Amino acid sequence: MKQKHSNRLCSVIVSIIVVLIVLIAVSLFWVNSRLCFVDYTPYSYSESSDAIKNPYVGLYSIRGYLLAEDATFSLPEANAAIDSSSSSFELSLIEINLKNYRNCDLSDNALSQIDSILSAWTKTGSQLILRFLYDWDGQNLESEPNELSQILIHMEQVGPIVNKYASSVYIMQGIFVGNWGEMNNTTHMGNGEIETLIQKLDDVIDPSIFLSVRTPAQWRTIVGEYHGTKVPRCPQPNLLSSLASRLGLYNDGMLGSANDTGTYGDKAAADLDTNYSDAWTREDELAFQNDLCRYVPNGGEVIIDNVYNDFDNAVKDLLQMHVSYLNSEYDSTVLNKWKETIINKTYDVWNGMSGYDYIERHLGYRYVLDSSSLKFHPLFDDTGMLTVTIRNVGFSNCYRPLEASVYVVSDLTGDCVAKVPIDTDPRLWNSGESSSFTVPIDVRSLNNRENNTYTLYLKCSDTTLNRTILFANTQTLTEYGYELGSIKI
């Protein structure tokens, strides 16, 4: 019996040893098959002060067209606006004057002229700011329609033509009325008429096109009427209504005085007797725009040389208002003042640049690649998590949707082996802030002994315009975008 017990014990021990050997072998095989070391080297990023041409932002030029039965126009040549060797601008303000039809419908000839104008400008590649008006001389009461119904008919008539060019018409300014189309000195702004006019535009104009009104108080009046409640002090228009989500501002009295030449008022927003439709103090209106214009565009023209448009004051307010576009010609006294201002910031990329160039380069969004890193566990992860940080140093966000992707390119062949869409919305890369996002990179699928080094690139594109978005970094743009770093496996 004793001998049998001993044999059984030996058998158990041998079995345990065999199992351990098998487990160790399996473990070693698993470790060997899983083991994958990754060395990630980020690119050495640095900010550039160079001028870059991106859509929807910057200085704009103005062209005006007076419709008439016998009118002939000098129209631009195709691709004139996007020639990088020219001084032309990405943005163009197109003013179409309807005063010859103030008390009648637009004729087929007039409608054909509008189509020809928008067709020619679309072919330039420029993004269009469009303003229909009845006055260029500050005498709107003599040239606008007598009846509101006629303006509404004109809106209905031009709507289909504007929508035909929705890919290039970025913003429509105003509601057709007022001196210079600026919603002042008109008989059609009271008794709910402003709401009626903007509602008509909202109905007939493609929803991808931004609309805009002259003052924050007008914005609050309109959106409050639509929303049926008091507009919040800190608006997120995308949470209010479809109109609010595309209704921006244009200010042709920008930085012209303490109240921007009548754009603001003297009532404090916090006072209990202050209505949301009142014009608030400059401080409160700037705070309102700081919130609102993260979501919708704001621009116009600066006027009247005064302390509010001295360079330092101007930069502070342009940033708070999130200004993305300005008139390239008016007011020349203010623009020249900026040109004569030289920035003195030691060890800064802007040191020695003129104030004018600084402001031009910061209108709208301006992205800078700041850092990147890759986290990967050699035993337990199949996917590495790439983290990228981008800083928006511009005055505003981008308001049109953009596509962002990371490209994985083989150093051996130069071919792209993977394109990874980024789960981020560049419209929320906020002005004056840094934004970080993570991108999964399938590292194990890249583990190839013959091809084990790769370069990662970031590319941001406007698919509507088929344009690559330029970054304000010193590195060179490639067909895959901007280099993020290299992976060695």
Side-chain angles (χ1 to χ4, degrees), residues 435-450:
S435 299
S436 297
F437 49 85
T438 57
V439 186
I441 304 296
D442 188 355
V443 171
R444 293 199 184 277
S445 69
L446 303 176
N447 190 10
N448 184 323
R449 292 182 181 178
E450 296 179 356

Side-chain angles (χ1 to χ4, degrees), residues 310-327:
D310 286 349
F311 174 73
D312 289 336
N313 293 333
V315 168
K316 175 177 173 291
D317 286 357
L318 292 171
L319 174 60
Q320 192 170 10
M321 291 186 287
H322 302 302
V323 172
S324 55
Y325 64 96
L326 284 177
N327 189 338

